[in-house]
Amino acid sequence: MARKRTPLRQRLVVAFVLLTAAVSGMFSLVTFVVMEELERTLFVDQLDGELRWWIQHLGNAPQTRPLELPNHAQLYITPDLFDAQLPTFLPAIAVGWQEVADGKESYEVIRRDYGTRRYYLVQPSSEQERREHVWFGVLAVGTVSAWVAAYLIARLTAGSVLEPVLRLAQRVRRADPARPPQRLAAGFANDEIGALARAFEQRLAQLYGFIASERLFTSDVSHELRTPVAIISGAAETLLQRSELLPRARGAVERIATAAHEMQALIDGFLVLGRDPMSVQASSESCAINAIVRAEIERLNAGPAAGTHSIALIERSDVTLPCPPALLTVAVRNLLDNAVRYAPGSEVRVIILPDALVVEDGGSGLPDADIVRAFDRHQRLAPEVAAGEGLGLAIVQRICERSGWQILAQSLPDGMRFELRFAPEPAVVST
């Protein structure tokens, strides 16, 4: 089961937002830590400077009560004050700065000793914490704003970033390997997209060369074979007109004439396959499916293997297709020959539907894993059958690709079912 992939545009937006989130988050964290440490250092230095000023200002004058200072700070001097006048946490404070709490509030405390006197400057941390909260809020709002801005910028720029890729995809989609290649790389910069466009252009040129060579080969071979086949067919018809021809020899000549006609139909089909697909689609030729199917059934019933099979024709519609008769003849012939060859002694059912031709046989069938390989060239999945080169279904597949049809295979409990689906709108359908 194919995993559903997120569109490239969305992945670019997500990647840009995640990158911005990581960078802005790391920047905010580092900024917050540095600013908090810096502010803490400045705050402690300020408290220490203020305490030193008070020590110099007060001198040795005794202080019988705590001094109330600005910003809700208090100055305690011992042994001038009694223990009852001191906060409970104060005696445990060492020299220098310390942050303490009494269960209700936290305090910043600076202690300095001069002679026998100890000076404690105590200031509640609420103001400091308030500034930290404000700073944290500013960083949080800035980080979230950076994420939102990154998302909006990514949405706006993703289109311009992907525009060369989409333009290249559109050119490749419109390129026809069967026609002279276009300049796919024209207008692209000398970057990764330009290199990709030049690679596509080179591969399309190679593919066009292969297709052109194949068409020339098919057309030349088919054209060269038409003359000898016409000679054989004419000679067989001339011999059949001679009354003195013995019955045994007449049967052999009839088989030669039939084989020549089959070869002529196959050559005509290959000539059509060798033509430009646009010229085939623009052709005004049409063919009646029912007539071609009847003719092919009569051919099999009159052939050397006539007694080894039975073919039941079920015509539920009279359908005419806008395509060269040679192509449909080759496709129907290969499907019927395949059914008769690989299901000897069984009944072959041919059903003509308004939009499809169905061929069912009563043979041994194929495992589901081998059905896809049945349309590969030179694939003989039943080696016990002597005849055949494994090309019939591959030819049918190629005709379907050229004509816009579809060939489907399904394994039945007692055989195989091949369904040749035509274009959605046949030329004429009557029931």
Side-chain angles (χ1 to χ4, degrees), residues 264-422:
Q264 185 62 52
L266 186 61
I267 291 174
D268 292 340
F270 284 157
L271 282 173
V272 174
L273 286 177
R275 287 159 52 188
D276 189 340
M278 299 302 296
S279 65
V280 175
Q281 295 176 3
S283 175
S284 59
E285 293 182 278
S286 62
C287 60
I289 298 177
N290 302 64
I292 291 178
V293 172
R294 293 193 205 101
E296 290 302 312
I297 293 177
E298 292 176 2
R299 175 186 65 84
L300 287 173
N301 289 333
T308 62
H309 61 268
S310 63
I311 302 177
L313 175 60
I314 303 174
E315 301 180 72
R316 296 179 180 173
S317 296
D318 291 329
V319 184
T320 301
L321 283 179
C323 74
L327 282 183
L328 184 61
T329 299
V330 173
V332 172
R333 179 172 300 171
N334 278 283
L335 288 177
L336 292 180
D337 288 348
N338 185 77
V340 171
R341 182 182 301 115
Y342 291 100
S346 65
E347 182 186 57
V348 176
R349 287 164 42 91
V350 182
I351 307 172
I352 301 177
L353 302 175
D355 60 349
L357 173 68
V358 179
V359 178
E360 298 177 347
D361 63 61
S364 57
L366 289 174
D368 292 339
D370 292 339
I371 289 180
V372 177
R373 295 195 300 126
F375 295 97
D376 295 340
R377 293 171 59 85
H378 301 292
Q379 280 290 341
R380 296 190 58 202
L381 301 179
E384 66 276 5
V385 179
E389 294 294 334
L391 289 173
L393 293 179
I395 294 175
V396 175
Q397 176 73 29
R398 183 174 177 184
I399 292 175
C400 290
E401 293 173 353
R402 175 61 62 87
S403 305
W405 303 339
Q406 190 177 12
I407 180 67
L408 302 176
Q410 179 185 0
S411 180
L412 302 176
D414 55 351
M416 286 293 298
R417 171 189 173 96
F418 291 91
E419 182 175 349
L420 182 61
R421 291 185 180 178
F422 307 116

Side-chain angles (χ1 to χ4, degrees), residues 57-296:
H57 179 71
L58 294 176
N60 294 323
Q63 303 294 325
T64 59
R65 60 183 180 84
L67 295 180
E68 299 291 337
L69 305 180
N71 297 326
H72 306 288
Q74 290 181 317
L75 178 62
Y76 298 89
I77 303 174
T78 61
D80 295 355
L81 300 176
F82 298 104
D83 291 343
Q85 295 176 288
L86 302 177
T88 57
F89 57 81
L90 208 59
I93 298 298
V95 176
W97 168 80
Q98 191 172 347
E99 185 176 7
V100 296
D102 61 357
K104 297 181 180 179
E105 191 173 357
S106 60
Y107 300 91
E108 307 288 340
V109 182
I110 294 287
R111 171 186 166 182
R112 289 287 180 262
D113 296 345
Y114 284 90
T116 60
R117 307 182 79 182
R118 295 179 180 178
Y119 297 84
Y120 300 89
L121 181 59
V122 179
Q123 181 170 337
S125 302
S126 56
E127 184 66 21
Q128 174 72 8
E129 291 176 352
R130 187 189 68 81
R131 287 197 298 266
E132 291 179 356
H133 291 159
V134 171
W135 179 242
F136 179 79
V138 171
L139 289 178
V141 171
T143 301
V144 174
S145 300
W147 296 352
V148 175
Y151 174 76
L152 296 177
I153 293 174
R155 287 291 302 268
L156 293 175
T157 58
S160 60
V161 172
L162 292 177
E163 190 275 335
V165 179
L166 299 177
R167 180 153 43 97
L168 176 59
Q170 186 177 14
R171 289 186 182 182
V172 173
R173 191 181 301 113
R174 290 185 308 194
D176 185 0
R179 294 184 173 276
Q182 302 175 351
R183 291 293 309 278
L184 296 179
F188 287 99
N190 191 20
D191 55 7
E192 291 80 0
I193 304 299
L196 182 62
R198 289 187 292 274
F200 273 124
E201 185 177 310
Q202 182 180 3
R203 290 294 178 265
L204 281 175
Q206 294 176 353
L207 184 58
Y208 171 73
F210 294 148
I211 294 176
S213 299
E214 181 187 10
R215 283 181 182 168
L216 289 175
F217 175 79
T218 304
S219 178
D220 292 345
V221 171
S222 301
H223 186 272
E224 293 298 326
L225 288 176
R226 296 187 73 173
T227 300
V229 170
I231 294 174
I232 294 173
S233 179
E237 292 178 0
T238 301
L239 289 174
L240 289 176
Q241 293 176 359
R242 299 184 62 174
S243 59
E244 67 272 16
L245 194 65
L246 297 177
R248 184 175 180 181
R250 182 175 295 276
V253 174
E254 288 176 350
R255 289 194 295 272
I256 293 174
T258 301
H261 286 301
E262 294 178 2
M263 178 64 71
Q264 185 62 52
L266 186 61
I267 291 174
D268 292 340
F270 284 157
L271 282 173
V272 174
L273 286 177
R275 287 159 52 188
D276 189 340
M278 299 302 296
S279 65
V280 175
Q281 295 176 3
S283 175
S284 59
E285 293 182 278
S286 62
C287 60
I289 298 177
N290 302 64
I292 291 178
V293 172
R294 293 193 205 101
E296 290 302 312

